[in-house]
Amino acid sequence: MLGDLDGDGDNDLVLGNGLANDEVECVFVNDGTGHFSDETAARVTESWNFPTASLQLGDLDGDGDLDVVVGNDGIGHGRFNRVLVNDGSGHFTGRDLVFDYFRTAALALLDVEGDGDLDVVCGDHDHYDKLYLNDGHGAFASATWPRMPATLDETAALAVGDVDGDGDVDLVRGSDWKIATLLVNHHRQVRAPRLPKLGTQWAIEVTATPGYATAAQLAIPFLGIAPAAVSLSPFGTLGVDPATLAVLPFVLLPAPSGIGSSQVAIPNTPVLAGLQLYGQALVLHGGALADARFTNVLRERVDA
């Protein structure tokens, strides 16, 4: 894993210890010309030395340097995942991440809540995947239930990105023996449990901080018949054509569920069959308008 560990502007190297016992993760320092020297003994203070299954680099405690998250192999033993905390000069001290001692084959660092710090997902090959939330200072607490699916997926790889364009990060899991899965972040989300059908009420569900909302929130849903991609800072990207946009009644998202819905009457008019609808919402996360953010865009075709 490459990263500027000592803050001198070049990429240094961290290596896991594979299946070796009684060896710490290795730090190789770049001299600036691509030549590396092993400075592990001088730079890594670690009291537990377990076989490494995965590594990630990121600033976990918000001090501007790169820390190291170590996913341990855990086969046959209880081996806690570890964090090597950087003192800013590329010297590291080990501590437990949290109570996680399964075979962590993959790690992902991502800001799942949009609060500006890096949270950790442990892809545990032989157990449920885990989510640990950062308090902003590098201390973590489990938020696996109810935020992660209760499935055993033999996770072997994780990839992070905003797949639905709603401004929050989603997760793709690769598995050894099962189909790869997409985990959509419902921190801000619109969805429709059923297709819109002529002559029926169509429900649009809006979620924001679902299951962990600490206060009621409001959402402004809207529909249109054409897509768009209009950047409106700081709210995000408007994905519905303003020329066709119709604003629906406000939706209350009570705490702690963070889930509400709006009903749309679909006229029983045959000419509407096959019409493509585009839905989105503006979620008012706090008291200030500047905290509002757009959700993803819902795309559904009217069914006869």
Side-chain angles (χ1 to χ4, degrees):
M1 188 70 63
L2 292 172
D4 184 6
L5 304 178
D6 51 8
D8 62 355
D10 54 44
N11 280 326
D12 309 298
L13 178 66
V14 179
L15 292 179
N17 57 26
L19 291 177
N21 285 306
D22 299 322
E23 293 182 8
V24 300
E25 282 61 45
C26 298
V27 171
F28 292 84
V29 176
N30 192 340
D31 67 358
T33 65
H35 294 82
F36 294 83
S37 57
D38 185 355
E39 299 188 13
T40 304
R43 291 181 177 269
V44 180
T45 302
E46 173 62 296
S47 56
W48 295 100
N49 308 321
F50 299 132
T52 306
S54 53
L55 290 171
Q56 281 291 345
L57 299 180
D59 182 9
L60 300 180
D61 48 9
D63 61 354
D65 55 45
L66 291 177
D67 309 300
V68 183
V69 183
V70 182
N72 286 315
D73 193 274
I75 299 176
H77 298 85
R79 293 166 171 144
F80 293 108
N81 292 335
R82 302 282 286 176
V83 175
L84 302 180
V85 180
N86 194 337
D87 69 355
S89 65
H91 293 81
F92 297 86
T93 302
R95 62 172 174 80
D96 288 341
L97 173 64
V98 280
F99 187 78
D100 192 308
Y101 57 90
F102 300 96
R103 183 186 177 191
T104 302
L107 288 163
L109 305 184
L110 63 167
D111 183 5
V112 300
E113 302 172 295
D115 59 356
D117 54 44
L118 289 175
D119 309 301
V120 178
V121 173
C122 294
D124 288 344
H125 186 277
D126 303 324
H127 206 258
Y128 305 105
D129 293 341
K130 313 297 191 310
L131 169 62
Y132 300 106
L133 297 182
N134 193 338
D135 69 351
H137 304 286
F140 294 86
S142 177
T144 302
W145 319 116
R147 300 199 193 189
M148 295 289 286
T151 56
L152 297 172
D153 288 288
E154 298 178 336
T155 301
L158 295 169
V160 174
D162 181 7
V163 300
D164 54 3
D166 62 352
D168 55 40
V169 287
D170 309 298
L171 195 65
V172 177
R173 296 188 299 192
S175 171
D176 261 347
W177 301 105
K178 299 182 180 181
I179 297 173
T181 52
L182 169 63
L183 303 184
V184 177
N185 189 342
H186 284 189
H187 186 68
R188 277 184 303 274
Q189 194 76 15
V190 292
R191 60 183 292 269
R194 294 180 178 82
L195 293 174
K197 189 175 179 64
L198 295 180
T200 66
Q201 293 287 324
W202 183 41
I204 300 175
E205 186 178 274
V206 184
T207 63
T209 59
Y212 51 95
T214 58
Q217 301 165 91
L218 283 177
I220 307 172
F222 44 87
L223 286 175
I225 58 172
V230 182
S231 180
L232 295 175
S233 181
F235 310 117
T237 300
L238 175 64
V240 178
D241 181 7
T244 69
L245 187 149
V247 178
L248 304 176
F250 284 24
V251 175
L252 176 66
L253 312 176
S257 72
I259 301 174
S261 64
S262 180
Q263 299 288 326
V264 179
I266 307 295
N268 192 13
T269 306
V271 71
L272 296 179
L275 181 68
Q276 186 77 53
L277 298 178
Y278 297 85
Q280 196 174 19
L282 182 68
V283 176
L284 308 176
H285 282 293
L289 183 60
D291 295 329
R293 295 292 184 272
F294 286 124
T295 66
N296 62 307
V297 178
L298 174 68
R299 301 168 180 86
E300 298 287 2
R301 193 176 300 276
V302 177
D303 187 14

